[in-house]
Amino acid sequence: MGSDTIGSVARRHRLRLGLTQEELAARTGLSARAISRLEAGRVSQPRLPTVRLLADAFGLRGSERDAFCAMANPATADPAMTDPEPRTERKVPAELPPDAFPFTGRRREIDRLDAVLSGISDQPTALVMSTVTGPPGVGKSALVIHWAHRARVGFPDGQLYLNLRGYHPTRPMPAGDALTALLTGLGVAADEIPVDLAQRTARYRTEVADRRLLLVLDNAATEEQVVPLLPGTASCRVLVTSRDSLPGLVAFYGSHRIELSPLPPSDAAQFLRRFIGPRVDVAPDAARDLAQLCSGLPLALRIAAELAVARPESPLDDLVTELRDRHSRLSMFDRGAQPGGIGAVISWSLRRLAPEAVRAFRLLGLHPGSTFDAYALAALCGVDPGTAREIVGRLARSHLVLVAGRDRYDMHDLLRRYAASLADRGDDPADRPAAALRRLYDFHLAAAAAALDVLYPAESARRPAPPAGSPELRFDDPDAARRWLDHERGLLASAAAARDVDGWADRASWLSDALYRYLDGGHNADALRIHGNARDAAVLRADRAAETRALLGLGAAHLWRGELDEAAGCFRRSLELCQDGVWRARALNSLGVVERRLGRYDSAARVQQEAVALAADNADVTGEARALNNLAVTEHLRGRSRAAADHLDRALALFSQAGDRTGQANALHNLGKVEMLRGRTAAAADRLGRALDLYRRLGNLRGEATTLDCLGVAHTTAGQTDRAADHFEASLTIFGRIGDPAGVASAYNGLGEVARARGRPDVASVQHAAALESAAGSLEQQARAHRGLAVAGRARGDQVDAVEHYKRAADLYRALGAAEADEMLAELAGLGRG
């Protein structure tokens, strides 16, 4: 292969097959952007497993395959396939939680795990897996984590651990989230993780291929949770825990099942001896009775032993008498609800805690999230965060909550279920579930307001005030604010949907109004939930103003999803309801965007001009700026670049006056597009680069993707096809992630234009065809795709195909009122088919 780099050879093979980078990504499980970086020469020696995947995709055989694989370096980490920053060695994950103390017994089960997972398989290519099953609280997690710590030296490439939360009451972990967590643990950067679930699974299996890894999948509910997470090669070992027997894993993947039973009396007594100390030897009969009352369940034994340690002055016989009494009185509760005597053990432990800790435990059963912090506990209990930290520390020392990370906590499913069963037993009305949840949701609203003030300070004066009296949470910088919103977005959506909690309508309306700008950055699914609940709340209250605002948010979410009819319906309904000039202007502005998407440029311009005038009349500076910005886009598409530039200059000045950074980014982005229309590529790249920087600092995924797409066009125009392809691939990944079909179509069209510029009409046809599949909601992208297919067909010598696509492009451009219609007719005439 001479002096060729592996990137240039890979590109040559890909183009030989007529594959796009995205299609090659789908074949290999690598991300499109990783392939783009490889082809651009940003990594010179990728890992051997990666190169083998590429060789398979290219169909290489014999000496050609050997020569291609020889360009890899199996000892060097592959930054193109993981982090964008160069690294000297591959990340070795070490994710096992701490080993439980004391760990007692289970010798037979440990020997079986040794035999299965450390032994030699009779089928060297088959995945080796073991599934530990049993009732809740029996010690499944403790067993596999203990074994994993003993065996970790046999897995030099690392140990991955994941709690699948299969029996969490509201939030079991979806397979897609699990794959993201595993890939992150392997060192894969966020922007390298594929959007599609199948591609994400393929990428994960590529990462773990030929690595000596241990994977622990804890607390699985179903086979469907587990199967996408299974490695594809026998070099890895897998440990799964579940309350279910998961027969599919045994039948189809040969998993070795170990059914875990409660500890036998001798092991249970040894557990207590190691935890409590010599007092067990002084009263062996009491220790035996204590173990029996705990039904041999390690979770119950641990809680009971902790209580005995906390009461060194009490003989074990007295503790056993107390527990036996609790067990008798709670036996009906335990029957069918809690395994063995664990309900009595928890109840017994709670009796020895201070009332505020018992109350906190009870209210934590209401928390709908997966983990919580001291601020959330403070809100549930109506106390200050310092007091909440003291309380959660006591609960953790009593083994009633678990430490789940820095300043975050979790509860065992059994404990959560028991706590929830007690949640409505408080005598104080302030302790009722609805009241506690309202405090929790009000805290999240107040914290969201603080985060939004940091992220979008220009809009703070217009945001509704959050509920007063919640624990105060401050954010030092925009990154911290955005991380909090991203982490708690699911709970905020739950708050908007909590119709049985007093104040739901006010809360739903507040969330819709306050989160609009944040959600508009690419969180379409949550936007539909939050704005939809706000709309329903407003209808119930006959609040026309609130319904108008919610409809604008709901319409925007539909618009970005390409659902133009639904979007137009929302915007028109908001106009029917609203008499306020500010909100009417915003509804008109949004309706103009729909008209533009439908190719009705003249209608769009009229509506947006009305929006500009109405916003100005009502002194709505940002509303006027946004309407000017959208009007400029329409004028740009009408071929009126001078008018577009004037509108954008005015919009940028107004956004700057208001301190609206999102608006400034939007205006800079559109000014870049206008500069491209004028042929001023350098100026266009400058403005687009400034917009991209702002969007990234704001965490606005849609803005980032759209600007990357435009930068791709600029570089294509300048003949810089490698840089253009990089930008289009990056924008395609983000558009796919946030669910923007028009954006996906634009990126594919851009890649098709890059292929045409490189003299590859066959590849261009594939890209433009992909664009056409995604462009149902955008006449502009449909026309662009047909034009690309026509040009590619003509270059291939397929005149019939070229004529067909030129005709379709001409019809679409004519419907759009665009000058390109005449260009298409001229091309047809040149083919003799005008």
Side-chain angles (χ1 to χ4, degrees), residues 134 136 140-141 161-175 178 216-226 229 240-244 246 369-370 410-414 416-417:
K140 301 182 293 296
S141 300
Y161 172 85
L162 198 60
N163 183 353
L164 295 176
R165 302 187 175 281
Y167 296 91
H168 189 282
T170 59
R171 293 176 65 85
M173 182 176 286
V216 179
L217 300 175
D218 201 5
N219 204 13
T222 64
E223 288 97 339
E224 288 75 15
Q225 263 191 311
V226 174
L229 314 181
V240 182
T241 73
S242 179
R243 298 180 197 174
D244 190 87
L246 302 179
S370 56
D410 198 357
M411 296 180 80
H412 189 285
D413 290 342
L414 274 179
R416 187 186 296 271
R417 189 170 71 184

Side-chain angles (χ1 to χ4, degrees), residues 94-106:
E95 297 183 346
L96 294 177
D99 196 0
F101 178 86
F103 185 89
T104 304
R106 306 300 193 195

Side-chain angles (χ1 to χ4, degrees), residues 428-471:
D428 188 338
D431 286 357
R432 296 295 182 186
L437 281 172
R438 175 161 188 170
R439 290 193 297 269
L440 177 70
Y441 291 148
D442 284 352
F443 157 68
H444 278 80
L445 266 60
L452 293 165
D453 284 346
V454 174
L455 277 177
Y456 309 107
E459 300 178 11
S460 57
R462 293 192 302 277
R463 264 192 297 274
S470 296

Side-chain angles (χ1 to χ4, degrees), residues 171 368-369 437-446 448 467 484 488-512 515 526 529-531 533-534 537:
R171 293 176 65 85
L437 281 172
R438 175 161 188 170
R439 290 193 297 269
L440 177 70
Y441 291 148
D442 284 352
F443 157 68
H444 278 80
L445 266 60
W484 187 91
E488 301 290 354
R489 191 169 64 246
L491 194 144
L492 292 170
S494 296
R499 303 187 181 210
D500 55 345
V501 177
D502 185 44
W504 161 68
D506 290 334
R507 197 162 43 249
S509 180
W510 188 94
L511 285 165
S512 176
L515 293 175
D526 286 313
R529 291 178 63 196
I530 289 171
H531 297 312
N533 275 294

Side-chain angles (χ1 to χ4, degrees), residues 253 256 347 395 607 644:
Y253 298 94
H256 300 259
S347 172
L395 293 174
V607 172

Side-chain angles (χ1 to χ4, degrees), residues 52 83 95 126-127 139 149 188 215 235 352 389 439 447 560 609 618 632 636 659 797:
R52 286 173 175 163
D83 286 331
E95 297 183 346
L127 179 68
H149 277 286
V188 179
L215 172 64
S235 62
R352 297 300 169 180
R389 290 188 186 94
R439 290 193 297 269
W560 294 124
Q609 285 163 357
N618 285 271
H636 166 71

Side-chain angles (χ1 to χ4, degrees), residues 705-778:
T706 305
T707 305
L708 284 166
D709 187 64
C710 287
L711 279 166
V713 174
H715 289 304
T716 303
T717 303
Q720 300 165 339
T721 55
D722 286 348
R723 295 186 68 185
D726 284 349
H727 287 307
F728 286 130
E729 292 282 2
S731 70
L732 182 63
T733 298
I734 299 174
F735 279 133
R737 185 187 313 165
I738 66 177
D740 188 332
V744 168
S746 183
Y748 272 128
N749 273 326
L751 288 168
E753 287 150 11
V754 166
R756 281 157 43 199
R758 289 170 169 172
R760 290 305 309 270
D762 50 343
V763 177
S765 294
V766 173
Q767 300 282 24
H768 289 302
L772 203 53
E773 289 179 9
S774 299
S778 173

